[in-house]
Amino acid sequence: AAPRPAHGCGSGALLGRFGVLLQALLALCAFSTLMLKRFKEPKAERRPWRIWFYDTSKQAIGALFIHFANVFLSDLTEEDPCSLYLINFILDATLGMLLIWLGVKVVSWIVQHKKYTYLVFGEYGDPPQAAAWIGQCILYLLIMVFEKTVISLVLLIPGWTKLQQILLGYIPNPQLELVLVMFVVPFIVNAIMFWVVDSLIMRKYKQKDTLDINGSIETPRARRTEESQVLLSPDMDFDQSESDQDISGLWGTSQKMKQSSYQVVI
């Protein structure tokens, strides 16, 4: 058996039977928040299941990459792997979240500038194309690789050992430490991260639901207004023409009355 430190879980505990069970439970609970988010969306803007799967699967691939990268990095040293995993996770949820946001913004600007329509996050064509989903998954995975590389470089800064001792140094039970590190803290943080990132990469229907007619952008409300005006325009013209005739008739009558009265006086 691998030697166990005085405090913390032993080497290989993250990939042990209990650790794998906690990771499976974490994945199930964390991704259920994305299901909840879909049902919280307004019915008029709720994504179809296929679009929802395309959006959330990108996060699933990125989260799995980050998770296994953290597990691999935590077992590289002889120190407590649970505390190392927790430090990696905290950095991913703070600095890493900022890097993901910047990465999504930069990639979105590039693909829109180059007019790569199917590489815009959340846009899959009509009908949805699997090729667009694959391309977006590759882009999102590249953002995750960039984020994890930066976080790994940050961990090379000396002084993390003291923080490692402070975080979990007072928990004598290795299994309790494993539950906190692999389930409780990741579930809370992942639920928030998944919700925020899904809002970043999903299609914004309020902004995208427009039509380009003769080079101008027209919203559905504007189209309905214009159609109603077109439907009402004949009646309005007719009423206006009748009113003009009435006014002209009255004006002519008044002129005749004035003229006739003038002739009587003379």
Side-chain angles (χ1 to χ4, degrees), residues 97-116:
M97 190 66 194
L98 176 61
L99 294 173
I100 293 172
W101 179 81
L102 289 175
V104 170
K105 292 297 183 181
V106 170
V107 170
S108 298
W109 180 85
I110 292 174
V111 297
Q112 289 179 1
H113 182 70
K114 296 294 184 180
K115 297 182 179 180
Y116 298 145

Side-chain angles (χ1 to χ4, degrees), residues 177-214:
E177 181 176 341
L178 196 59
V179 170
L180 291 174
V181 170
M182 298 299 293
F183 181 74
V184 177
V185 176
F187 169 69
I188 297 173
V189 178
N190 272 328
I192 299 173
M193 289 181 62
F194 287 166
W195 199 290
V196 172
V197 174
D198 186 60
S199 299
L200 285 175
I201 64 177
M202 69 179 288
R203 181 188 179 199
K204 305 299 185 295
Y205 287 90
K206 291 183 179 180
Q207 300 175 3
K208 298 292 184 181
D209 191 13
T210 58
L211 288 179
D212 189 1
I213 301 177
N214 296 327

Side-chain angles (χ1 to χ4, degrees), residues 117-192:
T117 306
Y118 286 161
L119 292 181
V120 176
F121 287 122
E123 295 287 345
Y124 307 103
D126 188 15
Q129 303 293 325
W133 168 69
I134 294 174
Q136 294 177 32
C137 285
I138 294 174
L139 286 179
Y140 189 74
L141 186 58
L142 290 176
I143 294 174
M144 295 296 102
V145 172
F146 166 74
E147 183 266 344
K148 196 65 231 176
T149 302
V150 175
I151 296 299
S152 300
L153 293 176
V154 171
L155 282 173
L156 295 178
I157 300 175
W160 291 106
T161 305
K162 294 182 180 179
L163 178 61
Q164 178 183 344
Q165 295 174 354
I166 295 173
L167 287 175
L168 299 172
Y170 299 98
I171 302 178
N173 191 336
Q175 289 190 340
L176 178 59
E177 181 176 341
L178 196 59
V179 170
L180 291 174
V181 170
M182 298 299 293
F183 181 74
V184 177
V185 176
F187 169 69
I188 297 173
V189 178
N190 272 328
I192 299 173

